[in-house]
Amino acid sequence: METTGSATEGDPLKSGEDGAETETAPSAAELKKKSYKEVIGLTKLTHWRTGFFFFSLFLCLTIVFAFSFILPCPVRPQYLVTWNRTFTEAETYDFLAIEDANKDKVMDVLFVLKDTEPIPNKTCANAGLPSPCVFVMAVDGTHGETLWEQPLAPEFHWAQCGLDDETGRTWDCLLSHSDQLTAVDKFTGEVRWQQPQLPGLRSTVPVLSVPDLDGDKVSDVALVATDDTQTQLVFLSGKTGEQVGSSVVLDSTKIANHLLHRTAAGSYYVLLQTDTGLYGLALWRIAAKAKAGMENGLKKDKDWEKTAKATSGLVPMFESDSLRQVLRTGETGDPPNLLLVTGNEVALVDGKHPKTLWRFNTSSVLGEPSFGHFNKDGVLDVVVEEDIGNYTKRVVILDGKSGGVLWEVDLLASPNSPRPGAIHTSNSFSIFVFWGMMRSEANSSEPLESDRRSYLLHPLYSKVLLQSTSFLEHIITFKATLLEGGRHAAYILLTGHEESEGTVVLSKRKLKHDVPGSKVLRIATGGSSESNEDIKEAFSRLRFSDW
């Protein structure tokens, strides 16, 4: 039988052929010795691995602790619950801007003052100006200290801030004063450019921020100005303030108000409030008339242009012979809708297509409506104050979707009461602030300025109001705002005198600070079953959020 030439499983130690050495099995002692050496080698390797691991861990911890001391953790701002800045023998104006003026991510306050020496060693004379002069000032939102001040020639006409966002401009605020237009950097207070006023014209706010028309890669601005016979628009370079192209006549009469609106197609329209209604005029048409130079780069909206009048290019948006106010429903949206107030109604117009979405009948709207979230549908609701006679006003919150009434209350219309405000919370609704006097709290049927109170409304406790103590000072302007993203809701109050010298006070009060001492008023029968302390606790637990 033929056999193979390799060892088989039954013959593992087959002898080698052709004189090869015969393999012999190792003895038990040799196997034991070999195993011992392998164990020793593995043990030494394990020790090296353990040592290397602990060395690496020690090195990482050393680096972490070293950098924790070298690079300090960011310090959170230390807020004062309330602060006041008082200026004697001064004048102030209805202007407040909330901006981050020192890059600490906390909002600061900009305002305008007419004074001789608002802070020590800062006088009009030092700036070569007559006394008193105009000072635009920025104060720190955390503790009220002055960040900067810039003296300007009197008299003050208007100011607007918030003009630097994604535009390439190196300034944020534009002021009209004396016979000059002055652009100011909000971080330093430095004057970036100064140009003479438009000859023979009175410009008004808002300043319109428009795309770059002169090709210098900086967004430009447009001013709407009037004389006794007509309304004109003038483009100014955002970089230098020099006029771009020629002025354009918008209307043969005086226009009551104007806004810049961007359609869903990205086309810009200047909205004009006239004595016959609201109309839109395409920016590309205006720029072409002005021969601004870059008008061909402006987009056109075919849908809007379908309804434009052939002769004037005006797009009818809302016709009324008693139009009083035109407001955006916030700065968000693509595009935001428009709220219109007439002599007999409040109406919401679609920002995408010029059509009316809803109407609310009212014949006597007081002041300017405001916006907030009463419910959680994500649509801004509308706060309207209407005069119902006998020194009484009705505060009404209208549903932003339908125009229906969500909530209302009657208050005595105390003199010098600011417009309502709202601050958004992290729970998708807003806390509303308004001013007046509950009739049950008044000493007489005719309210005095000393009877004025502020009220907080919590949508989840809509049958109660939180009433603060009285404010005796004459209020020039008021804002309810967040000083830091997601936190620190506060009132900013500017009190004092307009058109006469006296004591001017700029103050900040933390919204929650007044809650413990406030009075809980139950405004509806069968109201909330929670105790007064539970309701105050609900206000104290609020967490705020950006819109």
PDB file of all heavy atoms in Angstrom, residues 451-484:
ATOM      1  N   ASP A 451     -52.121 108.890  39.711  1.00  0.00           N
ATOM      2  CA  ASP A 451     -52.875 107.640  39.839  1.00  0.00           C
ATOM      3  C   ASP A 451     -52.340 106.532  38.923  1.00  0.00           C
ATOM      4  O   ASP A 451     -52.869 105.437  38.923  1.00  0.00           O
ATOM      5  CB  ASP A 451     -54.356 107.872  39.495  1.00  0.00           C
ATOM      6  CG  ASP A 451     -55.052 108.750  40.521  1.00  0.00           C
ATOM      7  OD1 ASP A 451     -54.656 108.677  41.699  1.00  0.00           O
ATOM      8  OD2 ASP A 451     -55.960 109.493  40.136  1.00  0.00           O
ATOM      9  N   ARG A 452     -51.350 106.858  38.136  1.00  0.00           N
ATOM     10  CA  ARG A 452     -50.860 105.900  37.134  1.00  0.00           C
ATOM     11  C   ARG A 452     -50.161 104.710  37.793  1.00  0.00           C
ATOM     12  O   ARG A 452     -49.351 104.854  38.691  1.00  0.00           O
ATOM     13  CB  ARG A 452     -49.905 106.624  36.184  1.00  0.00           C
ATOM     14  CG  ARG A 452     -49.389 105.788  35.034  1.00  0.00           C
ATOM     15  CD  ARG A 452     -48.395 106.591  34.206  1.00  0.00           C
ATOM     16  NE  ARG A 452     -47.289 107.059  35.025  1.00  0.00           N
ATOM     17  CZ  ARG A 452     -46.886 108.321  35.090  1.00  0.00           C
ATOM     18  NH1 ARG A 452     -47.494 109.249  34.404  1.00  0.00           N
ATOM     19  NH2 ARG A 452     -45.865 108.654  35.868  1.00  0.00           N
ATOM     20  N   ARG A 453     -50.500 103.500  37.348  1.00  0.00           N
ATOM     21  CA  ARG A 453     -49.870 102.259  37.801  1.00  0.00           C
ATOM     22  C   ARG A 453     -49.415 101.460  36.581  1.00  0.00           C
ATOM     23  O   ARG A 453     -49.898 101.675  35.471  1.00  0.00           O
ATOM     24  CB  ARG A 453     -50.853 101.405  38.615  1.00  0.00           C
ATOM     25  CG  ARG A 453     -51.502 102.088  39.803  1.00  0.00           C
ATOM     26  CD  ARG A 453     -50.526 102.218  40.961  1.00  0.00           C
ATOM     27  NE  ARG A 453     -51.205 102.624  42.181  1.00  0.00           N
ATOM     28  CZ  ARG A 453     -51.474 103.875  42.521  1.00  0.00           C
ATOM     29  NH1 ARG A 453     -51.124 104.863  41.707  1.00  0.00           N
ATOM     30  NH2 ARG A 453     -52.074 104.169  43.655  1.00  0.00           N
ATOM     31  N   SER A 454     -48.517 100.535  36.812  1.00  0.00           N
ATOM     32  CA  SER A 454     -48.191  99.564  35.766  1.00  0.00           C
ATOM     33  C   SER A 454     -48.758  98.215  36.173  1.00  0.00           C
ATOM     34  O   SER A 454     -48.830  97.888  37.362  1.00  0.00           O
ATOM     35  CB  SER A 454     -46.680  99.470  35.547  1.00  0.00           C
ATOM     36  OG  SER A 454     -46.032  98.899  36.662  1.00  0.00           O
ATOM     37  N   TYR A 455     -49.157  97.422  35.174  1.00  0.00           N
ATOM     38  CA  TYR A 455     -49.780  96.127  35.411  1.00  0.00           C
ATOM     39  C   TYR A 455     -49.072  95.053  34.602  1.00  0.00           C
ATOM     40  O   TYR A 455     -48.656  95.289  33.454  1.00  0.00           O
ATOM     41  CB  TYR A 455     -51.264  96.163  35.012  1.00  0.00           C
ATOM     42  CG  TYR A 455     -52.084  97.078  35.880  1.00  0.00           C
ATOM     43  CD1 TYR A 455     -52.276  98.410  35.532  1.00  0.00           C
ATOM     44  CD2 TYR A 455     -52.668  96.615  37.058  1.00  0.00           C
ATOM     45  CE1 TYR A 455     -53.024  99.260  36.329  1.00  0.00           C
ATOM     46  CE2 TYR A 455     -53.420  97.455  37.868  1.00  0.00           C
ATOM     47  CZ  TYR A 455     -53.595  98.776  37.496  1.00  0.00           C
ATOM     48  OH  TYR A 455     -54.327  99.613  38.295  1.00  0.00           O
ATOM     49  N   LEU A 456     -48.955  93.877  35.215  1.00  0.00           N
ATOM     50  CA  LEU A 456     -48.407  92.705  34.532  1.00  0.00           C
ATOM     51  C   LEU A 456     -49.522  91.691  34.325  1.00  0.00           C
ATOM     52  O   LEU A 456     -50.313  91.415  35.237  1.00  0.00           O
ATOM     53  CB  LEU A 456     -47.295  92.059  35.363  1.00  0.00           C
ATOM     54  CG  LEU A 456     -46.002  92.849  35.575  1.00  0.00           C
ATOM     55  CD1 LEU A 456     -45.028  92.032  36.423  1.00  0.00           C
ATOM     56  CD2 LEU A 456     -45.364  93.217  34.253  1.00  0.00           C
ATOM     57  N   LEU A 457     -49.571  91.130  33.095  1.00  0.00           N
ATOM     58  CA  LEU A 457     -50.546  90.097  32.767  1.00  0.00           C
ATOM     59  C   LEU A 457     -49.811  88.815  32.385  1.00  0.00           C
ATOM     60  O   LEU A 457     -48.954  88.826  31.503  1.00  0.00           O
ATOM     61  CB  LEU A 457     -51.430  90.548  31.601  1.00  0.00           C
ATOM     62  CG  LEU A 457     -52.319  89.462  30.973  1.00  0.00           C
ATOM     63  CD1 LEU A 457     -53.355  88.961  31.976  1.00  0.00           C
ATOM     64  CD2 LEU A 457     -52.993  89.981  29.704  1.00  0.00           C
ATOM     65  N   HIS A 458     -50.141  87.723  33.069  1.00  0.00           N
ATOM     66  CA  HIS A 458     -49.615  86.390  32.787  1.00  0.00           C
ATOM     67  C   HIS A 458     -50.707  85.615  32.048  1.00  0.00           C
ATOM     68  O   HIS A 458     -51.792  85.392  32.599  1.00  0.00           O
ATOM     69  CB  HIS A 458     -49.265  85.696  34.106  1.00  0.00           C
ATOM     70  CG  HIS A 458     -48.435  84.464  33.968  1.00  0.00           C
ATOM     71  ND1 HIS A 458     -48.735  83.447  33.090  1.00  0.00           N
ATOM     72  CD2 HIS A 458     -47.295  84.067  34.621  1.00  0.00           C
ATOM     73  CE1 HIS A 458     -47.837  82.489  33.198  1.00  0.00           C
ATOM     74  NE2 HIS A 458     -46.954  82.843  34.114  1.00  0.00           N
ATOM     75  N   PRO A 459     -50.499  85.214  30.784  1.00  0.00           N
ATOM     76  CA  PRO A 459     -51.571  84.550  30.026  1.00  0.00           C
ATOM     77  C   PRO A 459     -52.141  83.298  30.691  1.00  0.00           C
ATOM     78  O   PRO A 459     -53.308  82.966  30.468  1.00  0.00           O
ATOM     79  CB  PRO A 459     -50.893  84.212  28.689  1.00  0.00           C
ATOM     80  CG  PRO A 459     -49.827  85.238  28.544  1.00  0.00           C
ATOM     81  CD  PRO A 459     -49.319  85.458  29.933  1.00  0.00           C
ATOM     82  N   LEU A 460     -51.353  82.594  31.503  1.00  0.00           N
ATOM     83  CA  LEU A 460     -51.863  81.400  32.165  1.00  0.00           C
ATOM     84  C   LEU A 460     -52.702  81.745  33.402  1.00  0.00           C
ATOM     85  O   LEU A 460     -53.365  80.871  33.966  1.00  0.00           O
ATOM     86  CB  LEU A 460     -50.710  80.476  32.562  1.00  0.00           C
ATOM     87  CG  LEU A 460     -49.835  79.961  31.414  1.00  0.00           C
ATOM     88  CD1 LEU A 460     -48.815  78.963  31.932  1.00  0.00           C
ATOM     89  CD2 LEU A 460     -50.673  79.345  30.300  1.00  0.00           C
ATOM     90  N   TYR A 461     -52.649  83.009  33.823  1.00  0.00           N
ATOM     91  CA  TYR A 461     -53.456  83.494  34.954  1.00  0.00           C
ATOM     92  C   TYR A 461     -54.173  84.761  34.488  1.00  0.00           C
ATOM     93  O   TYR A 461     -54.010  85.839  35.066  1.00  0.00           O
ATOM     94  CB  TYR A 461     -52.577  83.770  36.175  1.00  0.00           C
ATOM     95  CG  TYR A 461     -51.808  82.560  36.649  1.00  0.00           C
ATOM     96  CD1 TYR A 461     -50.553  82.266  36.126  1.00  0.00           C
ATOM     97  CD2 TYR A 461     -52.347  81.689  37.600  1.00  0.00           C
ATOM     98  CE1 TYR A 461     -49.847  81.144  36.550  1.00  0.00           C
ATOM     99  CE2 TYR A 461     -51.640  80.565  38.018  1.00  0.00           C
ATOM    100  CZ  TYR A 461     -50.400  80.305  37.485  1.00  0.00           C
ATOM    101  OH  TYR A 461     -49.703  79.189  37.913  1.00  0.00           O
ATOM    102  N   SER A 462     -54.965  84.610  33.442  1.00  0.00           N
ATOM    103  CA  SER A 462     -55.521  85.776  32.741  1.00  0.00           C
ATOM    104  C   SER A 462     -56.665  86.448  33.493  1.00  0.00           C
ATOM    105  O   SER A 462     -57.171  87.475  33.039  1.00  0.00           O
ATOM    106  CB  SER A 462     -56.005  85.351  31.351  1.00  0.00           C
ATOM    107  OG  SER A 462     -56.997  84.335  31.447  1.00  0.00           O
ATOM    108  N   LYS A 463     -57.101  85.900  34.637  1.00  0.00           N
ATOM    109  CA  LYS A 463     -58.177  86.523  35.411  1.00  0.00           C
ATOM    110  C   LYS A 463     -57.650  87.357  36.569  1.00  0.00           C
ATOM    111  O   LYS A 463     -58.423  87.830  37.406  1.00  0.00           O
ATOM    112  CB  LYS A 463     -59.132  85.445  35.930  1.00  0.00           C
ATOM    113  CG  LYS A 463     -59.871  84.719  34.809  1.00  0.00           C
ATOM    114  CD  LYS A 463     -60.852  83.695  35.342  1.00  0.00           C
ATOM    115  CE  LYS A 463     -61.584  83.000  34.198  1.00  0.00           C
ATOM    116  NZ  LYS A 463     -62.571  82.004  34.697  1.00  0.00           N
ATOM    117  N   VAL A 464     -56.332  87.543  36.596  1.00  0.00           N
ATOM    118  CA  VAL A 464     -55.723  88.394  37.622  1.00  0.00           C
ATOM    119  C   VAL A 464     -54.694  89.309  36.968  1.00  0.00           C
ATOM    120  O   VAL A 464     -54.171  89.020  35.881  1.00  0.00           O
ATOM    121  CB  VAL A 464     -55.045  87.571  38.741  1.00  0.00           C
ATOM    122  CG1 VAL A 464     -56.042  86.660  39.427  1.00  0.00           C
ATOM    123  CG2 VAL A 464     -53.883  86.767  38.179  1.00  0.00           C
ATOM    124  N   LEU A 465     -54.423  90.425  37.614  1.00  0.00           N
ATOM    125  CA  LEU A 465     -53.364  91.342  37.219  1.00  0.00           C
ATOM    126  C   LEU A 465     -52.470  91.595  38.417  1.00  0.00           C
ATOM    127  O   LEU A 465     -52.922  91.583  39.566  1.00  0.00           O
ATOM    128  CB  LEU A 465     -53.936  92.667  36.733  1.00  0.00           C
ATOM    129  CG  LEU A 465     -54.683  92.674  35.399  1.00  0.00           C
ATOM    130  CD1 LEU A 465     -55.287  94.042  35.148  1.00  0.00           C
ATOM    131  CD2 LEU A 465     -53.763  92.280  34.257  1.00  0.00           C
ATOM    132  N   LEU A 466     -51.205  91.846  38.133  1.00  0.00           N
ATOM    133  CA  LEU A 466     -50.256  92.210  39.179  1.00  0.00           C
ATOM    134  C   LEU A 466     -50.020  93.713  39.080  1.00  0.00           C
ATOM    135  O   LEU A 466     -49.512  94.212  38.072  1.00  0.00           O
ATOM    136  CB  LEU A 466     -48.952  91.433  38.988  1.00  0.00           C
ATOM    137  CG  LEU A 466     -48.178  91.035  40.247  1.00  0.00           C
ATOM    138  CD1 LEU A 466     -49.047  90.167  41.135  1.00  0.00           C
ATOM    139  CD2 LEU A 466     -46.912  90.277  39.855  1.00  0.00           C
ATOM    140  N   GLN A 467     -50.400  94.450  40.116  1.00  0.00           N
ATOM    141  CA  GLN A 467     -50.322  95.910  40.100  1.00  0.00           C
ATOM    142  C   GLN A 467     -49.114  96.390  40.890  1.00  0.00           C
ATOM    143  O   GLN A 467     -48.905  95.999  42.035  1.00  0.00           O
ATOM    144  CB  GLN A 467     -51.603  96.511  40.701  1.00  0.00           C
ATOM    145  CG  GLN A 467     -51.562  98.031  40.823  1.00  0.00           C
ATOM    146  CD  GLN A 467     -52.799  98.569  41.512  1.00  0.00           C
ATOM    147  OE1 GLN A 467     -53.826  98.781  40.879  1.00  0.00           O
ATOM    148  NE2 GLN A 467     -52.715  98.773  42.826  1.00  0.00           N
ATOM    149  N   SER A 468     -48.328  97.261  40.260  1.00  0.00           N
ATOM    150  CA  SER A 468     -47.151  97.812  40.925  1.00  0.00           C
ATOM    151  C   SER A 468     -47.520  99.078  41.676  1.00  0.00           C
ATOM    152  O   SER A 468     -48.658  99.562  41.618  1.00  0.00           O
ATOM    153  CB  SER A 468     -46.064  98.130  39.895  1.00  0.00           C
ATOM    154  OG  SER A 468     -46.421  99.297  39.178  1.00  0.00           O
ATOM    155  N   THR A 469     -46.538  99.637  42.350  1.00  0.00           N
ATOM    156  CA  THR A 469     -46.735 100.925  43.013  1.00  0.00           C
ATOM    157  C   THR A 469     -46.789 102.039  41.961  1.00  0.00           C
ATOM    158  O   THR A 469     -46.484 101.829  40.790  1.00  0.00           O
ATOM    159  CB  THR A 469     -45.583 101.201  43.988  1.00  0.00           C
ATOM    160  OG1 THR A 469     -44.344 101.111  43.268  1.00  0.00           O
ATOM    161  CG2 THR A 469     -45.572 100.183  45.109  1.00  0.00           C
ATOM    162  N   SER A 470     -47.164 103.226  42.379  1.00  0.00           N
ATOM    163  CA  SER A 470     -47.357 104.330  41.437  1.00  0.00           C
ATOM    164  C   SER A 470     -46.015 104.905  40.986  1.00  0.00           C
ATOM    165  O   SER A 470     -45.001 104.807  41.676  1.00  0.00           O
ATOM    166  CB  SER A 470     -48.190 105.431  42.094  1.00  0.00           C
ATOM    167  OG  SER A 470     -47.516 105.936  43.229  1.00  0.00           O
ATOM    168  N   PHE A 471     -46.036 105.515  39.785  1.00  0.00           N
ATOM    169  CA  PHE A 471     -44.893 106.246  39.252  1.00  0.00           C
ATOM    170  C   PHE A 471     -45.299 107.714  39.180  1.00  0.00           C
ATOM    171  O   PHE A 471     -46.201 108.078  38.414  1.00  0.00           O
ATOM    172  CB  PHE A 471     -44.524 105.728  37.857  1.00  0.00           C
ATOM    173  CG  PHE A 471     -43.910 104.354  37.860  1.00  0.00           C
ATOM    174  CD1 PHE A 471     -44.718 103.224  37.876  1.00  0.00           C
ATOM    175  CD2 PHE A 471     -42.543 104.181  37.857  1.00  0.00           C
ATOM    176  CE1 PHE A 471     -44.168 101.958  37.877  1.00  0.00           C
ATOM    177  CE2 PHE A 471     -41.978 102.917  37.865  1.00  0.00           C
ATOM    178  CZ  PHE A 471     -42.790 101.803  37.873  1.00  0.00           C
ATOM    179  N   LEU A 472     -44.647 108.554  39.948  1.00  0.00           N
ATOM    180  CA  LEU A 472     -45.059 109.949  40.040  1.00  0.00           C
ATOM    181  C   LEU A 472     -44.399 110.818  38.976  1.00  0.00           C
ATOM    182  O   LEU A 472     -44.907 111.889  38.656  1.00  0.00           O
ATOM    183  CB  LEU A 472     -44.722 110.501  41.430  1.00  0.00           C
ATOM    184  CG  LEU A 472     -45.391 109.771  42.616  1.00  0.00           C
ATOM    185  CD1 LEU A 472     -44.956 110.406  43.928  1.00  0.00           C
ATOM    186  CD2 LEU A 472     -46.907 109.795  42.481  1.00  0.00           C
ATOM    187  N   GLU A 473     -43.278 110.386  38.418  1.00  0.00           N
ATOM    188  CA  GLU A 473     -42.542 111.222  37.483  1.00  0.00           C
ATOM    189  C   GLU A 473     -43.248 111.264  36.124  1.00  0.00           C
ATOM    190  O   GLU A 473     -44.001 110.377  35.751  1.00  0.00           O
ATOM    191  CB  GLU A 473     -41.114 110.676  37.289  1.00  0.00           C
ATOM    192  CG  GLU A 473     -40.283 110.615  38.550  1.00  0.00           C
ATOM    193  CD  GLU A 473     -40.495 109.331  39.331  1.00  0.00           C
ATOM    194  OE1 GLU A 473     -41.350 108.529  38.895  1.00  0.00           O
ATOM    195  OE2 GLU A 473     -39.848 109.136  40.364  1.00  0.00           O
ATOM    196  N   HIS A 474     -42.959 112.321  35.384  1.00  0.00           N
ATOM    197  CA  HIS A 474     -43.495 112.444  34.021  1.00  0.00           C
ATOM    198  C   HIS A 474     -42.665 111.558  33.101  1.00  0.00           C
ATOM    199  O   HIS A 474     -41.453 111.730  32.948  1.00  0.00           O
ATOM    200  CB  HIS A 474     -43.424 113.902  33.552  1.00  0.00           C
ATOM    201  CG  HIS A 474     -43.971 114.111  32.177  1.00  0.00           C
ATOM    202  ND1 HIS A 474     -45.319 114.190  31.920  1.00  0.00           N
ATOM    203  CD2 HIS A 474     -43.347 114.221  30.974  1.00  0.00           C
ATOM    204  CE1 HIS A 474     -45.508 114.354  30.624  1.00  0.00           C
ATOM    205  NE2 HIS A 474     -44.326 114.381  30.035  1.00  0.00           N
ATOM    206  N   ILE A 475     -43.304 110.574  32.475  1.00  0.00           N
ATOM    207  CA  ILE A 475     -42.602 109.599  31.644  1.00  0.00           C
ATOM    208  C   ILE A 475     -42.467 110.127  30.217  1.00  0.00           C
ATOM    209  O   ILE A 475     -43.465 110.445  29.561  1.00  0.00           O
ATOM    210  CB  ILE A 475     -43.337 108.245  31.647  1.00  0.00           C
ATOM    211  CG1 ILE A 475     -43.401 107.672  33.070  1.00  0.00           C
ATOM    212  CG2 ILE A 475     -42.646 107.254  30.709  1.00  0.00           C
ATOM    213  CD1 ILE A 475     -44.234 106.419  33.187  1.00  0.00           C
ATOM    214  N   ILE A 476     -41.226 110.206  29.752  1.00  0.00           N
ATOM    215  CA  ILE A 476     -40.976 110.602  28.367  1.00  0.00           C
ATOM    216  C   ILE A 476     -41.090 109.385  27.448  1.00  0.00           C
ATOM    217  O   ILE A 476     -41.766 109.421  26.427  1.00  0.00           O
ATOM    218  CB  ILE A 476     -39.580 111.245  28.210  1.00  0.00           C
ATOM    219  CG1 ILE A 476     -39.444 112.445  29.155  1.00  0.00           C
ATOM    220  CG2 ILE A 476     -39.333 111.650  26.768  1.00  0.00           C
ATOM    221  CD1 ILE A 476     -40.408 113.564  28.872  1.00  0.00           C
ATOM    222  N   THR A 477     -40.451 108.301  27.820  1.00  0.00           N
ATOM    223  CA  THR A 477     -40.546 107.065  27.043  1.00  0.00           C
ATOM    224  C   THR A 477     -40.219 105.870  27.933  1.00  0.00           C
ATOM    225  O   THR A 477     -39.603 106.030  28.991  1.00  0.00           O
ATOM    226  CB  THR A 477     -39.618 107.104  25.806  1.00  0.00           C
ATOM    227  OG1 THR A 477     -39.878 105.974  24.974  1.00  0.00           O
ATOM    228  CG2 THR A 477     -38.146 107.109  26.214  1.00  0.00           C
ATOM    229  N   PHE A 478     -40.648 104.698  27.489  1.00  0.00           N
ATOM    230  CA  PHE A 478     -40.558 103.482  28.303  1.00  0.00           C
ATOM    231  C   PHE A 478     -40.334 102.290  27.388  1.00  0.00           C
ATOM    232  O   PHE A 478     -40.879 102.219  26.279  1.00  0.00           O
ATOM    233  CB  PHE A 478     -41.857 103.315  29.088  1.00  0.00           C
ATOM    234  CG  PHE A 478     -42.205 101.897  29.460  1.00  0.00           C
ATOM    235  CD1 PHE A 478     -41.653 101.303  30.584  1.00  0.00           C
ATOM    236  CD2 PHE A 478     -43.075 101.152  28.679  1.00  0.00           C
ATOM    237  CE1 PHE A 478     -41.967 100.004  30.929  1.00  0.00           C
ATOM    238  CE2 PHE A 478     -43.410  99.852  29.014  1.00  0.00           C
ATOM    239  CZ  PHE A 478     -42.849  99.271  30.143  1.00  0.00           C
ATOM    240  N   LYS A 479     -39.515 101.334  27.837  1.00  0.00           N
ATOM    241  CA  LYS A 479     -39.333 100.077  27.113  1.00  0.00           C
ATOM    242  C   LYS A 479     -39.276  98.933  28.116  1.00  0.00           C
ATOM    243  O   LYS A 479     -38.625  99.041  29.162  1.00  0.00           O
ATOM    244  CB  LYS A 479     -38.046 100.081  26.277  1.00  0.00           C
ATOM    245  CG  LYS A 479     -38.144 100.856  24.973  1.00  0.00           C
ATOM    246  CD  LYS A 479     -36.880 100.699  24.148  1.00  0.00           C
ATOM    247  CE  LYS A 479     -36.941 101.525  22.871  1.00  0.00           C
ATOM    248  NZ  LYS A 479     -37.955 101.023  21.935  1.00  0.00           N
ATOM    249  N   ALA A 480     -39.951  97.833  27.768  1.00  0.00           N
ATOM    250  CA  ALA A 480     -39.792  96.571  28.489  1.00  0.00           C
ATOM    251  C   ALA A 480     -38.951  95.676  27.599  1.00  0.00           C
ATOM    252  O   ALA A 480     -39.291  95.446  26.438  1.00  0.00           O
ATOM    253  CB  ALA A 480     -41.152  95.940  28.768  1.00  0.00           C
ATOM    254  N   THR A 481     -37.846  95.170  28.108  1.00  0.00           N
ATOM    255  CA  THR A 481     -36.892  94.492  27.235  1.00  0.00           C
ATOM    256  C   THR A 481     -36.076  93.462  27.993  1.00  0.00           C
ATOM    257  O   THR A 481     -36.095  93.412  29.232  1.00  0.00           O
ATOM    258  CB  THR A 481     -35.947  95.530  26.588  1.00  0.00           C
ATOM    259  OG1 THR A 481     -35.120  94.903  25.614  1.00  0.00           O
ATOM    260  CG2 THR A 481     -35.064  96.189  27.649  1.00  0.00           C
ATOM    261  N   LEU A 482     -35.348  92.631  27.244  1.00  0.00           N
ATOM    262  CA  LEU A 482     -34.354  91.732  27.811  1.00  0.00           C
ATOM    263  C   LEU A 482     -32.982  92.375  27.682  1.00  0.00           C
ATOM    264  O   LEU A 482     -32.607  92.837  26.600  1.00  0.00           O
ATOM    265  CB  LEU A 482     -34.344  90.390  27.071  1.00  0.00           C
ATOM    266  CG  LEU A 482     -35.495  89.415  27.339  1.00  0.00           C
ATOM    267  CD1 LEU A 482     -35.276  88.140  26.533  1.00  0.00           C
ATOM    268  CD2 LEU A 482     -35.590  89.083  28.811  1.00  0.00           C
ATOM    269  N   LEU A 483     -32.238  92.404  28.768  1.00  0.00           N
ATOM    270  CA  LEU A 483     -30.897  92.974  28.711  1.00  0.00           C
ATOM    271  C   LEU A 483     -29.853  91.948  28.300  1.00  0.00           C
ATOM    272  O   LEU A 483     -28.749  92.315  27.881  1.00  0.00           O
ATOM    273  CB  LEU A 483     -30.517  93.580  30.060  1.00  0.00           C
ATOM    274  CG  LEU A 483     -31.276  94.847  30.443  1.00  0.00           C
ATOM    275  CD1 LEU A 483     -30.748  95.412  31.747  1.00  0.00           C
ATOM    276  CD2 LEU A 483     -31.207  95.896  29.342  1.00  0.00           C
ATOM    277  N   GLU A 484     -30.168  90.668  28.420  1.00  0.00           N
ATOM    278  CA  GLU A 484     -29.247  89.612  28.007  1.00  0.00           C
ATOM    279  C   GLU A 484     -30.058  88.499  27.382  1.00  0.00           C
ATOM    280  O   GLU A 484     -31.205  88.264  27.774  1.00  0.00           O
ATOM    281  CB  GLU A 484     -28.453  89.088  29.204  1.00  0.00           C
ATOM    282  CG  GLU A 484     -27.323  88.139  28.819  1.00  0.00           C
ATOM    283  CD  GLU A 484     -26.523  87.661  30.022  1.00  0.00           C
ATOM    284  OE1 GLU A 484     -26.869  88.051  31.155  1.00  0.00           O
ATOM    285  OE2 GLU A 484     -25.577  86.889  29.823  1.00  0.00           O
TER     286      GLU A 484
END
